[in-house]
Amino acid sequence: QVQLVESGGGLVQAGGSLRLSCAASGLTFSSYCVGWFRQAPGKGREFVATITRNGDLTYYGDSVKGRFTISRDNAKNTVYLQMNSLKPEDTAVYYCAARFTTNQAFFTTTGSYSHWGQGTQVTVSS
């Protein structure tokens, strides 16, 4: 059974940093592309970042480009999202998602992913 568990969320002041983790189990992690998405109250789920299965390629949503960094450690079955220069508009529940892939592809839409975590809350105060 595939499980993705996010952690690292919390309350931070604007300008601060947080690092989210997504720990995976029940899958051959190095065969999965992983993405981060977020959902603010009353809004749809927004693409944040994605990383290919070997970590060579990354891609970011426009709203986080230059502030967030996605990385992975396949030996630990974990993907990270380093979030710097946080803004109040970054407040949301952050989800990680995984999708099996046979090549170095990445995906930016929610429908492309087959497995999701339960989410972790990030709140940025002004």
Side-chain angles (χ1 to χ4, degrees):
Q1 180 183 353
V2 175
Q3 254 195 322
L4 302 175
V5 179
E6 301 96 335
S7 61
L11 173 64
V12 64
Q13 287 190 328
S17 298
L18 282 174
R19 188 176 82 155
L20 306 183
S21 298
C22 172
S25 60
L27 74 172
T28 305
F29 188 63
S30 59
S31 295
Y32 282 73
C33 165
V34 176
W36 284 97
F37 293 78
R38 67 186 182 186
Q39 189 164 15
K43 295 189 176 181
R45 201 162 289 193
E46 176 192 13
F47 167 73
V48 174
T50 183
I51 188 165
T52 52
R53 62 182 200 169
N54 67 357
D56 280 359
L57 295 176
T58 59
Y59 188 75
Y60 298 90
D62 287 342
S63 60
V64 307
K65 210 170 288 184
R67 300 187 298 122
F68 290 11
T69 302
I70 188 171
S71 62
R72 66 190 296 161
D73 184 342
N74 284 348
K76 295 183 178 179
N77 283 10
T78 302
V79 167
Y80 304 98
L81 185 68
Q82 178 66 43
M83 306 186 296
N84 298 329
S85 303
L86 283 161
K87 305 175 182 179
E89 50 264 44
D90 294 318
T91 295
V93 177
Y94 283 70
Y95 300 89
C96 69
R99 174 210 165 110
F100 176 81
T101 176
T102 58
N103 55 28
Q104 300 310 319
F106 57 72
F107 306 90
T108 62
T109 59
T110 56
S112 298
Y113 291 88
S114 51
H115 305 289
W116 290 83
Q118 82 291 347
T120 185
Q121 176 71 46
V122 171
T123 303
V124 184
S125 63
S126 56

